């Protein structure tokens, strides 16, 4: 009570989305609503003129904590080859694409065997410090070129 906070945003440095929130449509064939989190991250963190290069068909990606496949769905939709890592089951529709290899393993223990991985995405429910350290490990070891991860 008795306080007022005023904020402002420069027109050249604000969100292109109305009220700062992208209005994304949930795809009917997506395995979970979490797919929208990764799509939003792509819109916010990757400039539209870089999508062709950074979200290109044929890229290799790893999705840690993948089940049932919401984030893997975004990668498959962009014609990437995905290693989905989770002890839980993956959506049959994703597996039928032939673009997903499911590794039934703990995401903290998985180590890639390919050097072609561009994207690492991660939406695991774990302590933020533990997830952050895992992302750092992947980058420092050169196992991937880019990461998007969620801290919970």
């Amino acid at each position: 009570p008795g306080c007022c906070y005023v904020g402002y945003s420069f027109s050249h440095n604000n969100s292109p989305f109305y009220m700062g929130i992208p209005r994304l449509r949930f795809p009917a064939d997506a395995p979970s609503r979490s797919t929208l989190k990764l799509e939003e991250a792509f819109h916010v963190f990757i400039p539209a003129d870089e999508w062709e290069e950074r979200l290109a068909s044929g890229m290799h990606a790893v999705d840690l904590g993948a089940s049932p496949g919401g984030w893997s769905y975004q990668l498959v939709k962009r014609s990437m080859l995905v290693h989905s890592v989770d002890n839980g089951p993956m959506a049959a529709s994703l597996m039928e694409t032939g673009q997903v290899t499911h590794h039934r393993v703990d995401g903290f223990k998985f180590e890639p065997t390919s050097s072609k991985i561009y994207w690492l995405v991660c939406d695991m429910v774990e302590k933020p410090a533990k997830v952050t350290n895992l992302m750092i490990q992947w980058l420092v070891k050169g196992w991937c070129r880019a990461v998007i991860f969620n801290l919970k």
Side-chain angles (χ1 to χ4, degrees):
C3 292
C4 175
Y5 297 96
V6 177
Y8 62 92
S9 175
F10 294 110
S11 61
H12 67 278
N13 187 26
N14 62 9
S15 175
F17 304 109
Y18 176 72
M19 299 297 289
I21 302 168
R23 309 290 189 232
L24 304 174
R25 185 174 305 241
F26 175 64
D29 58 339
S32 71
R33 291 198 57 79
S34 72
T35 193
L36 297 176
K37 288 191 282 186
L38 185 56
E39 184 178 2
E40 180 178 353
F42 289 156
H43 283 283
V44 171
F45 297 122
I46 304 171
D49 62 343
E50 294 180 19
W51 276 39
E52 258 185 62
E53 176 190 341
R54 297 179 63 193
L55 298 171
S57 172
M59 284 184 157
H60 293 252
V62 171
D63 179 3
L64 299 178
S67 180
W71 285 31
S72 292
Y73 172 86
Q74 284 296 319
L75 303 167
V76 165
K77 190 169 110 173
R78 288 166 174 80
S79 300
M80 294 186 198
L81 302 170
V82 184
H83 290 272
S84 297
V85 181
D86 201 301
N87 283 316
M90 294 297 292
S93 58
L94 281 177
M95 299 309 297
E96 290 166 3
T97 66
Q99 293 170 245
V100 177
T101 303
H102 184 198
H103 302 272
R104 286 187 173 267
V105 129
D106 182 332
F108 289 97
K109 296 179 179 165
F110 178 78
E111 292 190 8
T113 56
S114 171
S115 60
K116 298 178 183 179
I117 298 165
Y118 188 94
W119 281 106
L120 170 65
V121 298
C122 177
D123 189 27
M124 291 194 286
V125 179
E126 185 52 78
K127 293 177 184 169
K130 189 172 181 182
V131 172
T132 301
N133 286 334
L134 181 63
M135 299 301 102
I136 291 168
Q137 174 185 334
W138 273 72
L139 289 167
V140 168
K141 291 185 176 184
W143 289 349
C144 64
R145 291 193 52 204
V147 293
I148 292 180
F149 60 102
N150 191 19
L151 298 176
K152 300 178 180 189

